[in-house]
Amino acid sequence: MATIEIGKDDFKDIVSKEGIVILHWWAVWCGPCHSFVPVFEQASEQYPDIRFGKIDIEKEPELADAFAVRSLPTVMALRDGFMLFERAGEPSAAELEELIRQVRALDMNEVRKRVVELRTQQ
């Protein structure tokens, strides 16, 4: 699956579905964002079962504010609607592959259980 452009109108629908979503927050003026694009695009071709989305913070400032994106590029990983990872900076291809490996390896039943436990403690 190729990388898709994500906006506020389709964001919730895309990230709340079952499965893995990798997000690349970027801007036209961001040099490191542009140098990360080939790595991100290659991963999107290599892992067709994962949704890869890019969000232009200039076009989607409300989303960027909602997720407190302050540095670019920022990469986020979600699975089954749960935010699992967020990092500002330009990951290498190996780092992105390792992130994908770790997100795939998670036992989502344990994640859900832990979220319920944390919510009841609050």
Side-chain angles (χ1 to χ4, degrees), residues 25 68 72 79 96 118:
W25 299 79
L72 296 176
R79 183 168 167 194
L96 186 57
L118 289 172

Side-chain angles (χ1 to χ4, degrees), residues 2 4-5 15 25 31 33 40 47 52 57 61 65 74 87 106-108 114:
I4 55 173
E5 190 84 32
V15 302
W25 299 79
C33 296
F40 196 72
Y47 300 100
F52 287 80
I57 66 160
D65 286 345
T74 291
R87 186 184 112 187
L106 282 173
D107 179 342
M108 291 308 292
R114 183 72 180 129

Side-chain angles (χ1 to χ4, degrees), residues 1-53:
M1 175 183 282
T3 302
I4 55 173
E5 190 84 32
I6 298 176
K8 66 181 175 203
D9 295 334
D10 57 0
F11 182 85
K12 186 175 181 179
D13 183 53
I14 291 169
V15 302
S16 64
K17 289 182 181 172
E18 192 170 306
I20 299 171
V21 179
I22 308 292
L23 300 175
H24 172 210
W25 299 79
W26 70 286
V28 172
W29 47 262
C30 171
C33 296
H34 289 286
S35 52
F36 178 60
V37 167
V39 170
F40 196 72
E41 293 289 337
Q42 180 182 7
S44 75
E45 296 299 326
Q46 185 175 349
Y47 300 100
D49 60 316
I50 296 175
R51 288 181 302 277
F52 287 80

